[in-house]
Amino acid sequence: MAPNASDDAPIIRGDDVVKEYETGGQLVRALKGVDFGIAPADFVAVVGPSGSGKSTLLNLLGLLDVPTRGDVRLRGTDVATLSDRERTNTRKDTIGFVFQSFYLIPTLTAVENVEMPRMLDRTPKRTRERATDLLERVGLGDRLDHYPDELSGGQKQRVAIARSLVNDPDILLADEPTGNLDRDTGDRILDLFDEFRAEEDVAVVTVTHDAYVADAADRVVNLIDGEVRPADEAAAEGST
Ligand code: ADP
Ligand code: MG
């Protein structure tokens, strides 16, 4: 993919995005003016030391928060102009989330966990079909009725990926999705990202500390102290 692939028709873009937090009279500048653009089927890895603003960036991309200054636009709409309710609905239609710790509900089976985000939709038949199809595609067609504690770590993460896709999102946001998995299992997760990017055009943005995940991405965003830095500079700072 061309390095500037995200320049044309991005799903979401940010211009000079600043995010500040104020706690106890202290101002923390978590993002100091970053630009980003995520195009359909992009695969972007966000790397950087602890405290550099990775989660803050993911929260903005996931419409969980709005910038202090600068614009975040989702298909042209400034997210700061949306009400909380509009933002919640837009998030549900647009964004899927995957986390390091899976966050499956222990009392629900695999297929019920995948159905969770659609529970209030009152379309149980279609929801069951979509959930079953997704679990088959992640290789768990024979584990539909298993509970999370009957599944391996890699299987749990595959259930979580199926769940993240149940509402046909445009972007999948993943925070350390391979952090609790061995290399082979992590590779399987990367294969799934590739499949869903190709088959559903879903973009993947992942925070990662795993070099093999960053190597597999189309682009790497290096965050240092709230700013995007070139890769070599980031590597130099990271080693001090
Ligand atoms: P990373 O995910 O790269 O570790 P974060 O985005 O979580 O970094 O944090 C960036 C900076 O913003 C840190 O200095 C952190 O302490 C601060 N920060 C993050 N969230 C909050 C918050 N809700 N309130 C105050 N400070 C925060
Ligand atoms: Mg973080």
Side-chain angles (χ1 to χ4, degrees):
M1 185 169 291
N4 64 345
S6 57
D7 287 349
D8 41 10
I11 303 161
I12 190 164
R13 64 175 291 162
D15 285 299
D16 207 11
V17 171
V18 173
K19 182 67 192 181
E20 295 169 345
Y21 298 105
E22 215 187 318
T23 38
Q26 240 202 336
L27 194 68
V28 177
R29 301 183 70 203
L31 293 175
K32 299 176 178 171
V34 302
D35 300 320
F36 52 81
I38 309 297
D42 253 356
F43 183 13
V44 180
V46 180
V47 304
S50 179
S52 59
K54 304 181 299 293
S55 294
T56 299
L57 179 60
L58 226 54
N59 287 346
L60 292 173
L61 289 170
L63 311 187
L64 293 165
D65 210 343
V66 293
T68 308
R69 284 187 295 284
D71 284 349
V72 175
R73 289 180 181 276
L74 180 77
R75 300 200 185 285
T77 301
D78 183 345
V79 302
T81 66
L82 301 174
S83 67
D84 283 352
R85 179 189 211 151
E86 287 169 329
R87 206 162 33 243
T88 301
N89 289 337
T90 307
R91 183 187 313 127
K92 188 186 162 204
D93 289 342
T94 314
I95 317 278
F97 293 93
V98 174
F99 304 94
Q100 177 172 1
S101 311
F102 321 129
Y103 293 124
L104 300 180
I105 296 176
T107 53
L108 299 182
T109 64
V111 74
E112 288 166 349
N113 266 283
V114 176
E115 290 173 341
M116 256 295 286
R118 277 202 193 182
M119 210 119 100
L120 300 176
D121 284 6
R122 297 209 209 95
T123 55
K125 193 151 172 281
R126 255 195 305 145
T127 297
R128 179 57 54 104
E129 280 166 13
R130 172 74 173 156
T132 304
D133 173 58
L134 285 166
L135 282 171
E136 283 167 357
R137 288 160 69 185
V138 301
L140 293 174
D142 56 350
R143 295 287 190 280
L144 300 180
D145 297 321
H146 285 234
Y147 289 89
D149 69 4
E150 300 167 337
L151 300 170
S152 70
Q155 289 172 334
K156 282 183 213 173
Q157 193 58 303
R158 284 188 273 152
V159 173
I161 289 171
R163 177 184 57 189
S164 77
L165 293 163
V166 77
N167 279 321
D168 302 296
D170 299 319
I171 306 180
L172 204 160
L173 299 177
D175 203 345
E176 290 278 349
T178 56
N180 282 336
L181 306 176
D182 62 47
R183 172 65 191 266
D184 282 347
T185 312
D187 278 334
R188 177 89 178 92
I189 298 301
L190 290 178
D191 289 343
L192 287 178
F193 287 166
D194 278 342
E195 278 172 47
F196 286 107
R197 289 167 59 215
E199 291 166 16
E200 309 219 352
D201 237 15
V202 64
V204 176
V205 180
T206 181
V207 170
T208 189
H209 286 107
D210 290 325
Y212 71 93
V213 175
D215 287 344
D218 299 327
R219 282 188 290 137
V220 176
V221 172
N222 289 288
L223 275 179
I224 301 282
D225 198 17
E227 294 179 292
V228 177
R229 301 279 188 83
D232 46 349
E233 211 177 318
E237 290 214 21
S239 64
T240 59

